[in-house]
Amino acid sequence: MSYSLGLYRFVDGELVPPDMDVVRTVLAPYGVVPGKSTANGMEFWIRADDGGEAELSVSDNIIGVERPAMGKIRGVIAELADRIGAGILTPRGAFLFREDSRDHLPEGMKNDSVFVPEITREALEGVEARTA
């Protein structure tokens, strides 16, 4: 079974695309994993210095993250979400958003989301642990 995360950004209740310049800037230091698919503007295979990897794909307004390893790669994903103003949907259906996103969410999502001042690896792992 594959483990995946989804990154979603809302403005005025509508799902909007991520800023690809920010996506590329955040992911650039983690490069493309040798022997794996290359960054083509919409797909990225990244590796953190602890060896953790993840495959990211931007499709329409969503960033899908497949097989994000435990460890530092979770921090990269959290930084990406925080920098683009997106929330993270965990496999168990919990949404993690920055507090300043609250008023931009569609009706009903506010009650089903966890809000933090900043999306960090620790915040992401905390939400995942609570919903496990």
Side-chain angles (χ1 to χ4, degrees):
M1 183 163 87
S2 179
Y3 177 89
S4 62
L5 301 169
L7 278 62
Y8 300 81
R9 182 172 178 255
F10 294 93
V11 174
D12 297 326
E14 299 293 325
L15 192 58
V16 298
D19 181 332
M20 289 305 295
D21 289 337
V22 177
V23 171
R24 288 182 193 94
T25 298
V26 171
L27 299 181
Y30 304 97
V32 176
V33 176
K36 305 285 185 170
S37 60
T38 59
N40 68 6
M42 299 305 263
E43 294 182 10
F44 306 84
W45 197 303
I46 59 171
R47 178 184 288 155
D49 63 7
D50 64 357
E53 298 179 359
E55 184 178 355
L56 289 85
S57 178
V58 181
S59 177
D60 296 320
N61 298 333
I62 301 166
I63 299 176
V65 183
E66 292 294 322
R67 297 173 302 282
M70 295 301 287
K72 292 183 181 181
I73 208 73
R74 297 287 173 104
V76 174
I77 303 308
E79 178 187 355
L80 176 60
D82 193 71
R83 297 260 312 267
I84 64 173
I88 301 175
L89 176 62
T90 69
R92 299 210 188 261
F95 260 115
L96 174 65
F97 284 100
R98 284 189 342 206
E99 182 62 47
D100 61 2
S101 298
R102 184 184 296 266
D103 292 334
H104 288 282
L105 299 182
E107 279 297 314
M109 282 189 70
K110 294 175 191 175
N111 297 334
D112 298 325
S113 300
V114 175
F115 296 93
V116 293
E118 176 183 18
I119 297 180
T120 63
R121 173 181 162 187
E122 294 77 16
L124 174 58
E125 290 173 350
V127 167
E128 292 177 314
R130 285 193 295 258
T131 59

